[in-house]
Amino acid sequence: MRIGIVGAGSIGSLLVGCLSKTSAELLVYGRGLHAAHLTASGLTLHIDGKDVVVCNPNDWEMLLEEQGLPESVQSSCDAIIMTGKASAFSEHLEVSKHLLRNNGLICTLSNGLGHEERLVQAFGAHRVLAATTTHGAYRPEPGQVKWAGIGEINIGPFVHPHTEDSVKTFLQFLADASLEPRWEDDGRALLWNKMLLNIAINPIAGLLGKENGALLELTIFESVASVLLEGATIARAEGVRLDDDAVLIDRLRNVLDKTRTNYCSMLQDIKAGRPTEIESLNTEICRRGEMFGIPTPLNELLSTIIQNL
Ligand code: KPL
């Protein structure tokens, strides 16, 4: 199976490193100095401060944004995982249209809601899977990725039920890569569960400037949980079947614990002076809250502060 990884940031590079150790054929799209390292010297993966895995650039084909897309790679991927930021979504969508073969599968790990609808418009419901990840990773320097939290990749149906063999093969490659794929029958709940984690963790860890583990401190954790529960009210108003509040809070605690040494993606964006994903996260909760006439003061506050940073 030829798998395209579109967006070679922290999570994208983690996937490249792990999948390069399987028999999957890899096509990787990235830009800048980090992508130059991936092309010329490969990738070093530091696993939770213990093991170091060196990944050889001959194990993937690299496409650089700076060079444009060659004809030779057109319609060559059986499956694509878009791993870029929400702000890169439109550009990565165009790249994916070029790379994905007829009837190939596509999913995105971008944080926030609304991306899958755009994939369905572009590729058709039968080609789109819902997917999220709780793996935590960051890039201490170009060519290096720290896998700071071993989580899961959750995959499920979005609109189409997806029982075809290619989905099983795709999941098997992710399992061979030790990326812990897990099939979830309710794709909408899957996307919302990840959204709830991100609206709670990302802006607060971003403002604190600390690793995810700092949010486990009792007084901070209570506020983090309140932001999550405010979002859960909106999900339930939309008819999404979520677990009870206590289960949602346990999951939050668990993800914070597993990614305790990770710098969340919003903190990485703030530090690097890049746009954050706040628009697709807390601001989106406020927008949806307004539609239902449900107040979302905590999400409003975080959204305003992050936007004004
Ligand atoms: O998704 C993440 C992110 O940083 O965006 C978590 C799971 C919160 C890991 O930090």
Side-chain angles (χ1 to χ4, degrees):
M1 183 175 237
R2 186 158 157 96
I3 302 179
I5 306 293
V6 177
S10 308
I11 289 290
S13 304
L14 171 67
L15 265 60
V16 171
C18 293
L19 282 163
S20 72
K21 303 296 172 194
T22 71
S23 59
E25 250 184 73
L26 289 180
L27 188 61
V28 184
Y29 179 84
R31 65 173 171 166
L33 196 51
H34 180 66
H37 273 264
L38 292 186
T39 313
S41 43
L43 173 74
T44 309
L45 201 57
H46 302 263
I47 306 179
D48 219 6
K50 295 190 289 272
D51 301 325
V52 174
V53 180
V54 177
C55 308
N56 191 316
N58 296 330
D59 288 335
W60 55 81
E61 181 179 350
M62 192 77 210
L63 300 173
L64 298 177
E65 183 185 314
E66 293 83 349
Q67 288 179 346
L69 294 171
E71 281 298 306
S72 57
V73 293
Q74 186 164 14
S75 307
S76 68
C77 291
D78 302 299
I80 287 184
I81 312 177
M82 290 170 64
T83 54
K85 288 285 155 67
S87 56
F89 190 86
S90 298
E91 188 223 326
H92 288 176
L93 181 62
E94 292 311 311
V95 172
S96 301
K97 282 184 191 165
H98 184 79
L99 301 182
L100 194 60
R101 75 162 167 75
N102 237 352
N103 291 331
L105 295 167
I106 184 154
C107 60
T108 171
L109 297 177
S110 288
N111 288 333
L113 295 176
H115 308 307
E116 284 69 19
E117 284 82 351
R118 292 183 64 191
L119 292 182
V120 167
Q121 276 169 3
F123 297 99
H126 63 301
R127 300 167 78 188
V128 178
L129 291 161
T132 61
T133 183
T134 49
H135 286 295
Y138 63 91
R139 280 175 294 164
E141 54 189 280
Q144 313 271 325
V145 166
K146 181 151 187 235
W147 192 355
I150 298 187
E152 293 171 352
I153 295 190
N154 302 85
I155 302 197
F158 186 59
V159 179
H160 180 76
H162 282 297
T163 49
E164 57 278 34
D165 282 347
S166 53
V167 175
K168 291 189 194 111
T169 313
F170 180 49
L171 290 176
Q172 189 55 53
F173 275 113
L174 295 175
D176 294 348
S178 304
L179 286 163
E180 307 291 340
R182 200 206 268 235
W183 181 258
E184 306 270 351
D185 286 329
D186 186 345
R188 224 162 133 238
L190 159 77
L191 296 172
W192 260 104
N193 277 320
K194 180 66 195 317
M195 173 80 169
L196 294 179
L197 294 171
N198 287 127
I199 60 164
I201 300 173
N202 295 24
I204 298 182
L207 289 171
L208 272 182
K210 291 197 174 153
E211 297 161 346
N212 289 354
L215 272 49
L216 284 164
E217 206 231 290
L218 200 60
T219 47
I220 301 177
F221 185 77
E222 278 174 11
S223 307
V224 177
S226 305
V227 177
L228 180 146
L229 293 180
E230 202 176 87
T233 314
I234 308 300
R236 291 188 181 114
E238 287 194 6
V240 179
R241 284 190 305 272
L242 292 181
D243 291 316
D244 293 344
D245 287 357
V247 178
L248 299 182
I249 290 173
D250 263 3
R251 189 174 298 137
L252 172 65
R253 198 178 283 109
N254 196 267
V255 168
L256 285 174
D257 190 39
K258 280 196 163 165
T259 61
R260 57 167 59 238
T261 63
N262 192 45
Y263 295 104
C264 80
S265 53
M266 194 170 288
L267 176 55
Q268 295 180 47
D269 288 339
I270 292 171
K271 278 185 169 170
R274 291 187 296 252
T276 69
E277 295 182 311
I278 197 76
E279 272 285 325
S280 326
L281 298 173
N282 306 69
T283 317
E284 183 63 25
I285 293 288
C286 303
R287 239 180 251 128
R288 290 176 187 230
E290 270 172 32
M291 281 191 325
F292 290 102
I294 301 174
T296 52
L298 296 174
N299 280 276
E300 190 93 47
L301 178 67
L302 290 170
S303 167
T304 308
I305 297 175
I306 298 283
Q307 277 169 1
N308 281 284
L309 271 189

